[in-house]
Structure formats: C-alpha cells, structure tokens
C-alpha cells in the first residue's frame, strides 16, 4: 500500500487528494493542513465581507469529516508540517493547538502550501488596523471592523483582483473607500487604455482613486489610521486592507533543498515533480510554463491550481500527464463592469522586444453584448493582440457590462488550441437576440483583424497625442450625436455626406476618423482610401471610448 502525504488543502491539495482516491482505492492518503479549513472558497471572501454571500458556511467546500466519509482520506487540520526529511522520506508535523511534534512517513509527498499576502516593510504596517484578506478568519476580522466597530471609512492598498473586489464590497457595506495603487493603473493584466475604463467606473461609484502614488507610511492614531503617500498626500481612514500581492509559501521546500526560482517559486517539471522525484508540488507555490511564450513564470490562480492537483494525482497513480502551461485567463467584477483577460498584454509584448507593425498587430473594437434592437443592449470593449502574419493570437482583454465572460472564454479556448486570428471569423457561435448578434463580438474581432492584415484599414493610437500633430480628426457622426459630446478640434462631416464633401479634406494629411463605436469610421476610411487618401486611420472604440480615456 503506497502512502501519499499532501501538505496543504484548498485548491491544489484537496483536488489532488480527491482525484488520487478515485484512481486508487487502496492508497493511504494523509492531508495535513495548518489552518482550520481544508477547502474553502477564498475567491468568495470579499463577497462575504460585502454581505453578498451572507452565510459564512457557504464558503466551506469540504470538511475533514466529509473527506473521510466520501473519500476515506485522513485529513488533519491544525497540523502544520515544519520540516521535510527527504532522506528518511518523512515530514515533521506540529499540532498547532498543543505544540506537540510527531513524524509522518511518506512514499510520495505533495507540496500544496499556496501563497500568503505580502506585507512590505512599510513603517506602521504591524498595526491591528492594517488587515489582509486571505483566510476565513481574515474575513471575520474585517466584517467585525465594519459592523462591530461601526467603521465609516477604509483604504484598500493595491488595485489587483482582491483590491478591486474589496473596494467594491466595502463600498457596498456602506463605507467611504479610498483605493491606493502604486502603479499608474489598476489591474496589471490590462493595458493602460483598457484600465482607463475601470478608472472611470470606479470614480463614478464614489471611490477615491489614488494612482501612481505608493504608500510611504502608516500611522495608527487613537481612533483611525493615517496613510501617507509618497506624494505627501494623507488619507485618514478607520482601517486599511492590504492587497499588494502574494508570495509563495515555499520555505519548507527551500529548507528541504528543493530548487526554487529567484521569486521563491518551487521549480517543477512538466509532470509537476520537483527536483526530488518523490515530491510533487502544485498551486500558487510553484513556477509554471507561460503558455504563450514557453518560458517560466508564476501565475497564482485557482483554476490552474485545481488542474495541477488533478495532474499530480494522475502521475502519482502511475500516469504520464503533463501540465502544458498557464495563460492567465481571468475575470473579475468591478462594480457594474466585468473585466477579463487571457494570454499576453501589449506591455508584455513590448517588454519582450516585439515591435508593433513588424511582429504583432492589435485591434480594439466596441460591440454590443447582444442584438441592439433587443432591450438592454450594453457595449463591451475588446482588445485583441495577434502575430503580424495572423498565425497566432497572443492575448485578449475585454471590459463591459454583460457577456464578457463567455467572450474571453471563447478567445482563451482559441489561444489554447492554437487558432489563427482568421479562425475567429469562422467560429459558429450561438445566436439569439437576448444573447448575442448574428456577428458575435468574437467574430467581429476576427473580421476587423483580417481587415487590418489585408491593409483595408489601420487604427490610430488610442491616445491621440501619440499621433502626428498635423493629423486631422474627422468626426462622421450625425449632428444630434454631437450635442451630447463633441471634440472641438474635429472636422465634422456626417458619413452620409462624405462623398459629396470629400473635397473639404486635404489628402496630403493624416486623417483619423471617429464615430460612435467604429463601424461608420471604417466605412468612411474605405471611402477615403479609394479616393486618393493614402494616410487614413480609424480611432479605436469610437467616441465613448475617447471620452473614457481623454475626458
């Protein structure tokens, strides 16, 4: 009878244990977890704080008793592994409540120790008014600060997934929220122009957004906390939630002599084995292959961790399953917007030395999530990055009110299966007016990309200051649309009048065309390009996108 010891529960460890039992009824499986819970929905914690998920028990996915009854797994919570002896193939375990030490032998060991929130050495950070959100107990403490202490204000430091979800849910709980981010934008997987849509929405909901301004110090006062930023600005709040990022819990692996990368990630092969063939590792603590560029990276996401746990179990049971990389597909709710991404962003392409126009192209379109004539048709903005020859898709980002998740999933599948950008226009996707349009936004991304690759159109930069100072901005919207929003420097010629008034334009100048969402601008570009205009571009996303990024 082979014995497998798993260190850590939640996503990777618990999924590994359950899968291993399904594959091998005779295996001895021991799961050791230093915390109180072996499997809980940590992604749901912000929503418990905001009372969207009011019952704490709803977050508990498995209990030790259920794991024993369903899977015959020996689950021991509040049992912390403090050392690994690779030569003797045993772990030293401490019972958290009593401090008692004991040893547990293994044939195969699985490290699923996850990650922990970072607490950088900022002066004052050890105050009890400075919280992180990572466990159920963390959520309990923050909920108590909101309700029992009658807090009115809070600051969230960090604009990633947890930071944005916390800002929304604290706002929902009735607090005045300040969101502080050291970089110039929230949500690092997005490019700047897509993040601008979130900035607008966050501010519209009354959150005080501080960008490009890191925290210099934190000072606990008698009844509140003073957050001092590098700029000298001060924000006074009742409490602070840190959401700066995570670090891998790899100390055990390091002490055992397993190989780590420079960020502390445990190095594993394609079978998820560490440098010791008897030890596997999964989840946030490991280094993985970047699916797009095939080099090494770290991506702490629940979906990949669950898959890795399953693969490790298969291999422990004698299989030869491989983990073929993480592409970082993710989605988040930010107030009434959804934001999603998959694969590489443009910042990454540039950092890798790729040059737009030579190595890659990008498009940005605005489309309704479903048929415009069906009620409540709301727009989504989609950015697609692809190889200059159209042979592969590098990544995609979407921000919108509805239908964002299914479009990013479609694009994620296309990337995973190696589809060319041309394949997007060929996809046959479900259509009915409440759900989509006959030309789904994913199809439209394919059509638009094809037009760019064939030279039928070109996009301007989203930030018009990056274009030629002599460029002419041509607005082809109707007169009534200008009453709601207009650009003073633009030349206005409605699309229906363009052929008759084409002589009003100078064909020696760069012409950048703008309309509501981009369709009329493309039609105008085709008219001009076939009438002697050689330098014509379409402004991406239309006038609404311009407002969000420039006003």
């Amino acid at each position: 009878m082979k014995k497998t010891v798993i260190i850590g529960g939640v996503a990777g460890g618990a999924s590994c244990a359950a899968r291993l039992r399904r594959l091998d009824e005779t295996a001895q499986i021991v799961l050791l977890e230093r915390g109180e819970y072996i499997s809980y929905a940590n992604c749901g914690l912000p929503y418990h704080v905001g009372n969207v998920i009011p019952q704490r028990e709803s977050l508990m996915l498995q209990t030790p008793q259920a794991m024993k009854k369903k899977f015959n797994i020996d689950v021991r919570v509040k049992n912390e592994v403090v050392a690994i002896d690779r030569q003797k193939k045993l772990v030293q375990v401490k019972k958290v409540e009593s401090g008692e030490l004991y040893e547990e032998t293994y044939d195969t060991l699985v490290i699923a120790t996850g990650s922990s929130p970072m607490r950088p050495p900022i002066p004052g950070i050890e105050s009890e008014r400075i919280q992180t959100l990572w466990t159920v107990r963390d959520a309990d403490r923050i909920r108590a600060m909101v309700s029992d202490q009658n807090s009115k204000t809070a600051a969230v430091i960090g604009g990633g997934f947890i930071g944005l979800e916390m800002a929304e849910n604290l706002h929902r709980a009735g607090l005045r929220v300040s969101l502080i981010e050291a970089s110039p934008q929230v949500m690092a997987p997005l490019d700047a122009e897509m993040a601008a849509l979130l900035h607008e929405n966050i501010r519209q909901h009354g959150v005080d957004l501080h960008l490009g301004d890191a925290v210099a110090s934190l000072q606990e006062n008698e009844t509140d906390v003073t957050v001092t930023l590098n700029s000298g600005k001060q924000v006074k709040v009742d409490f602070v939630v840190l959401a700066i990022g995570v670090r891998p819990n790899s100390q055990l692996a390091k002490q055992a002599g397993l190989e780590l990368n420079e960020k502390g990630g445990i190095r594993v092969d394609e079978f998820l084995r560490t440098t010791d063939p008897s030890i596997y590792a999964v989840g946030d603590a490991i280094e993985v292959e970047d699916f797009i560029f095939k080099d090494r990276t770290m991506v702490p996401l629940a979906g990949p961790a669950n898959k890795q746990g399953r693969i490790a179990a298969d291999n422990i049971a004698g299989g030869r399953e491989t983990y073929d990389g993480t592409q970082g597909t993710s989605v988040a709710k930010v107030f009434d917007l959804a934001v999603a991404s998959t694969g590489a962003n443009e910042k990454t392409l540039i950092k890798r030395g790729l040059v737009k126009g030579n190595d890659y192209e990008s498009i940005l379109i605005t489309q309704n999530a479903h048929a415009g004539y069906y009620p409540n048709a709301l727009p989504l903005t989609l950015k697609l990055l692809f190889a200059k020859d159209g042979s592969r898709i590098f990544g995609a980002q979407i921000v919108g009110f509805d239908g964002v998740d299914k479009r990013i999933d479609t694009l994620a599948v296309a990337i995973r299966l190696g589809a060319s950008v041309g394949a997007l226009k060929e996809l046959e996707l479900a259509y009915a007016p409440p759900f989509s349009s006959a030309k789904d936004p994913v199809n439209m991304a394919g059509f638009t990309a094809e037009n760019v690759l064939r030279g039928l159109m070109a996009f301007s930069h989203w930030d018009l200051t990056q274009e030629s100072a002599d460029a002419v901005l041509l607005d082809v919207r109707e007169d009534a649309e200008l009453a709601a929003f207009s650009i003073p420097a633009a030349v206005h010629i409605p699309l229906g009048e363009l052929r008759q008034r084409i002589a009003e334009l100078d064909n020696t100048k760069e012409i950048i065309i703008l309309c509501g969402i981009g369709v009329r601008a493309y039609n105008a570009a085709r008219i001009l390009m076939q009438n002697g205009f050689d330098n014509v571009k379409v402004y991406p996303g239309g006038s609404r996108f311009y407002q969000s990024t420039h006003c």
Side-chain angles (χ1 to χ4, degrees), residues 145-146 150-157 166-180 202-210 224-225 227 234-241 335:
M145 296 181 89
V146 172
N150 198 29
S151 298
K152 303 295 184 185
T153 58
V156 177
I157 301 174
M166 277 306 305
E168 176 185 350
N169 280 281
L170 290 172
H171 178 272
R172 177 186 174 88
L175 278 67
R176 178 65 184 259
V177 179
S178 297
L179 180 60
I180 300 165
I202 290 166
R203 290 183 172 116
Q204 286 174 347
H205 281 86
V207 172
D208 297 325
L209 186 57
H210 303 267
D224 58 21
V225 177
V227 183
Q234 291 191 330
V235 180
K236 284 198 171 187
V237 291
D238 294 322
F239 68 91
V240 174
V241 177
F335 291 101

Side-chain angles (χ1 to χ4, degrees), residues 343-457:
N345 57 28
E346 192 164 10
K347 292 178 291 188
T348 299
L349 299 185
I350 294 170
K351 188 180 295 185
R352 288 179 173 272
L354 277 67
V355 178
K356 188 172 184 178
N358 293 333
D359 304 305
Y360 75 93
E361 290 287 356
S362 72
I363 63 158
L364 189 151
I365 61 173
T366 298
Q367 293 286 306
N368 284 332
H370 62 245
Y373 58 83
Y374 189 85
N376 302 316
L378 296 173
L380 58 79
T381 300
L382 187 158
K383 180 175 182 178
L384 189 73
L385 297 150
F386 49 95
K388 177 63 177 175
D389 63 1
S391 62
R392 62 184 300 210
I393 303 167
F394 289 124
Q397 303 157 45
I398 310 178
V399 176
F401 296 93
D402 188 26
V404 168
D405 53 344
K406 73 174 182 177
R407 273 66 186 224
I408 205 68
D409 284 344
T410 302
L411 291 165
V413 170
I415 291 173
R416 178 64 63 163
L417 298 182
S420 68
V421 71
L424 300 182
K425 63 186 176 64
E426 300 170 2
L427 292 177
E428 185 176 337
L429 302 171
Y431 159 60
F435 304 106
S436 184
S437 298
K439 296 177 182 177
D440 188 86
V442 173
N443 296 136
M444 290 301 297
F447 296 143
T448 306
E450 180 185 52
N451 287 337
V452 170
L453 293 175
R454 291 179 58 188
L456 297 177
M457 67 171 295

Side-chain angles (χ1 to χ4, degrees), residues 528-547:
L528 295 184
M529 291 172 73
Q530 295 177 80
N531 281 276
F533 288 76
D534 297 325
N535 193 0
V536 178
K537 296 177 181 176
V538 172
Y539 182 78
S543 60
R544 183 68 187 86
F545 187 75
Y546 181 94
Q547 283 182 271

Side-chain angles (χ1 to χ4, degrees), residues 206-225:
V207 172
D208 297 325
L209 186 57
H210 303 267
L211 297 173
D213 206 356
V215 175
S217 67
L218 299 156
Q219 180 179 331
E220 181 178 359
N221 309 311
E222 186 175 340
T223 59
D224 58 21
V225 177

Side-chain angles (χ1 to χ4, degrees), residues 27-142:
Q28 183 180 358
I29 306 170
V30 179
L31 193 155
L32 303 168
E33 167 59 50
R34 68 180 178 182
E36 298 176 66
Y37 312 104
I38 55 160
S39 184
Y40 62 91
N42 54 358
C43 295
L45 294 176
Y47 301 99
H48 181 49
V49 170
N51 216 37
V52 177
I53 303 172
Q55 298 301 320
R56 187 176 186 268
E57 293 72 23
S58 301
L59 301 171
M60 307 306 168
L61 305 180
Q62 286 284 3
T63 65
Q65 296 76 16
M67 288 287 280
K68 179 65 176 177
K69 185 175 182 180
K70 294 178 183 177
F71 300 107
N72 191 26
I73 293 169
D74 181 1
V75 177
R76 305 173 198 170
V77 295
K78 298 184 182 179
N79 278 249
E80 179 181 6
V81 175
V82 294
I84 301 169
D85 188 327
R86 292 166 53 197
Q87 283 68 43
K88 295 181 180 178
K89 298 188 77 169
L90 59 83
V91 294
Q92 189 176 56
V93 189
K94 181 178 72 173
K95 293 183 178 180
V96 173
E97 292 182 331
S98 67
E100 176 188 347
L101 294 174
Y102 68 94
E103 293 178 343
E104 193 74 40
T105 61
Y106 66 83
D107 295 306
T108 304
L109 185 68
V110 180
I111 300 175
T113 45
S115 57
S116 297
M118 290 195 295
R119 292 184 74 96
I122 300 171
I125 201 168
E126 298 307 321
S127 165
E128 290 186 1
R129 292 182 181 273
I130 317 298
Q131 295 290 320
T132 57
L133 181 66
W134 204 244
T135 68
V136 176
R137 289 295 184 192
D138 294 337
D140 291 342
R141 283 192 293 270
I142 296 173

Side-chain angles (χ1 to χ4, degrees), residues 6 23 35 69 95 127 271 292 300 337 371 423 434 444 494 496 501 515:
I6 301 171
L23 295 174
K69 185 175 182 180
K95 293 183 178 180
S127 165
F271 304 106
I292 304 298
L337 283 179
M444 290 301 297
R501 296 175 59 183
C515 68

